[in-house]
């Protein structure tokens, strides 16, 4: 078991106190009608203390093994869990770079990245995919296009971060900026502005379908301006905060799901997140 919550964590103690209060109230009610014999009082006290220790331990184990949690933000059901975005139902969001590149060569796009896996397994006809991107009317509005005919390998149209295109059951979104060395990078203000624009785009396309997104943090994206060591749980909190302040709301039964991959899941404290946002 990966230890994500300390044994004496404040939230563990708070949850334990609530349980103890309930147990104590029930026992008090029982003892009004049932008296413990004198010879059993010390033993009963020891059993009660052991029971409290067991309860505390169970709460602590539960907090560390919590595999998913559900929150309500502005009336929208938000589920956070470990999973594979490609196996989810509804619309699935795949982050691309600002040029919507389709070259999977472990240099421009990594084969193991989400957009690399999308191109390899879902839409392998890159010429057709590039054509869909170039000809999509909703994506290619003047407000989304920052620059055309850029001299570079790969896509030549530079889009505003957060610009998105819906293709079948997937939404491709411009997430990371590329420098002249084809390295993905972002400042924190760009990350927040991306999210605000992205939620607006999702509000436009979701059509009462459930939407699944990853924690936006492409493995090769570099955060500039002193945020290069930001943790995934902090990025998750920023995503939830921007969703809360945006005007995006999913009508029931549609919901938002945030999936977390593999070892990254072990870095997320869902128990604390649940306590903070409930």
């Amino acid at each position: 078991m990966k230890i994500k919550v300390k044994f004496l964590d404040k939230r563990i103690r708070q949850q334990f106190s609530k349980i103890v209060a309930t147990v104590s109230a029930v026992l008090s009610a029982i003892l009004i009608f049932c008296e413990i014999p004198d010879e059993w009082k010390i033993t009963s006290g020891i059993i009660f203390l052991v029971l409290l220790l067991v309860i505390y331990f169970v709460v602590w184990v539960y907090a560390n093994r919590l595999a998913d949690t559900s929150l309500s933000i502005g009336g929208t059901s938000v589920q956070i869990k470990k999973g594979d975005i490609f196996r989810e139902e509804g619309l699935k969001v795949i982050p691309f770079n600002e040029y919507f590149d389709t070259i999977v060569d472990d240099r421009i796009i990594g084969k193991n990245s989400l957009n690399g896996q999308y191109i390899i397994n879902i839409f392998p006809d890159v010429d057709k995919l590039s054509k869909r991107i170039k000809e999509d009317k909703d994506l290619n509005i003047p407000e989304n296009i920052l620059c055309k005919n850029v001299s570079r390998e790969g896509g030549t149209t530079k889009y505003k971060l957060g610009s998105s295109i819906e293709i079948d059951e997937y939404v491709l979104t411009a997430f990371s900026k590329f420098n002249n060395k084809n390295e993905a990078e972002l400042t924190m203000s760009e990350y927040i502005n991306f999210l605000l624009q992205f939620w607006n785009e999702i509000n436009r396309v979701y059509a009462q379908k459930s939407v699944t997104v990853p924690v936006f943090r492409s493995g090769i994206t570099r955060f500039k301006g002193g945020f290069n060591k930001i943790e995934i749980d902090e990025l998750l909190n920023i995503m939830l905060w921007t969703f809360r302040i945006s005007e995006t709301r999913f009508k029931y039964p549609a919901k938002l799901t945030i999936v977390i991959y593999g070892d990254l899941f072990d870095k997320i404290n869902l128990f604390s997140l649940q306590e903070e946002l409930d």
Side-chain angles (χ1 to χ4, degrees):
M1 180 180 68
K2 177 73 173 180
I3 306 301
K4 295 183 283 185
V5 185
K6 295 180 179 179
F7 191 71
L8 296 178
D9 185 275
K10 181 180 69 174
R11 295 178 181 86
I12 297 289
R13 289 185 277 116
Q14 289 174 340
Q15 189 68 24
F16 173 70
S17 296
K18 293 177 183 178
I19 296 173
V20 170
T22 301
V23 172
S24 298
V26 172
L27 287 177
S28 297
I30 293 174
L31 292 175
I32 291 175
F33 305 99
C34 301
E35 185 177 352
I36 299 176
D38 291 339
E39 62 271 21
W40 277 95
K41 286 183 178 180
I42 295 177
T43 303
S44 299
I46 294 173
I47 292 173
F48 183 66
L49 289 175
V50 171
L51 176 62
L52 293 182
L53 289 174
V54 170
I55 291 173
Y56 192 95
F57 183 77
V58 169
V59 172
W60 177 68
V61 170
Y62 166 79
N64 280 284
R65 289 189 173 180
L66 192 61
D68 65 79
T69 189
S70 294
L71 313 167
S72 179
I73 299 179
T76 298
S77 175
V78 181
Q79 184 181 26
I80 303 167
K81 67 177 186 177
K82 183 176 183 179
D84 181 349
I85 196 169
F86 295 103
R87 296 184 179 182
E88 297 294 322
E89 297 181 354
L91 292 176
K92 295 163 278 287
V93 177
I94 306 297
F96 275 63
N97 63 41
E98 60 187 335
Y99 294 98
F100 283 98
D101 282 319
T102 56
I103 301 174
V104 183
D105 59 357
D106 280 334
R107 188 169 59 87
I108 295 179
I109 299 176
K111 294 178 182 177
N112 293 324
S113 65
L114 285 183
N115 56 331
Q117 289 297 302
Y118 169 79
I119 293 169
I120 292 171
N121 299 315
I122 307 299
F123 210 131
D125 189 337
V126 293
D127 291 333
K128 185 177 180 180
L129 176 58
S130 296
K131 184 178 180 181
R132 288 281 297 268
I133 292 170
K134 290 177 181 178
E135 296 179 354
D136 187 82
K137 293 181 180 179
D138 292 322
L139 174 64
N140 289 282
I141 58 176
E143 291 86 350
N144 286 344
I145 297 176
L146 299 180
C147 189
K148 285 186 174 182
N149 301 317
V150 180
S151 179
R152 63 182 299 275
E153 182 182 4
T156 57
T157 299
K158 184 177 181 179
Y159 294 89
K160 179 172 68 175
L161 297 186
S163 303
S164 302
I165 172 176
E166 181 183 0
I167 299 180
D168 302 323
E169 291 295 308
Y170 289 86
V171 176
L172 316 184
T173 187
F175 166 59
S176 55
K177 301 187 73 173
F178 261 27
N179 61 24
N180 56 10
K181 297 180 181 179
N182 282 334
E183 295 173 337
E185 58 183 20
L186 281 177
T187 65
M188 186 50 61
S189 61
E190 288 169 339
Y191 184 73
I192 292 173
N193 287 332
F194 154 75
L195 287 168
L196 293 173
Q197 174 66 19
F198 169 74
W199 295 129
N200 287 334
E201 289 287 273
I202 287 298
N203 198 41
R204 174 179 65 83
V205 304
Y206 89 98
Q208 297 190 15
K209 296 179 183 178
S210 292
V211 177
T212 300
V213 302
V215 177
F216 292 108
R217 62 164 306 278
S218 173
I220 59 172
T221 299
R222 299 163 177 82
F223 282 94
K224 301 187 297 181
F227 293 94
N228 56 310
K229 294 184 179 180
I230 191 166
E231 298 291 342
I232 187 172
D233 58 338
E234 295 173 298
L235 296 178
L236 175 59
N237 274 303
I238 293 171
M239 286 181 62
L240 294 171
W241 171 70
T242 54
F243 181 79
R244 185 191 295 275
I245 66 173
S246 75
E247 296 181 355
T248 304
R249 296 294 180 265
F250 295 169
K251 295 181 180 179
Y252 181 83
K255 66 178 180 179
L256 171 66
T257 300
I258 301 176
V259 295
I260 305 165
Y261 282 78
D263 294 340
L264 291 176
F265 182 80
D266 292 334
K267 299 180 180 181
I268 300 291
N269 185 343
L270 291 184
F271 184 77
S272 294
L273 183 70
Q274 189 178 48
E275 291 292 310
E276 289 168 3
L277 294 177
D278 271 354

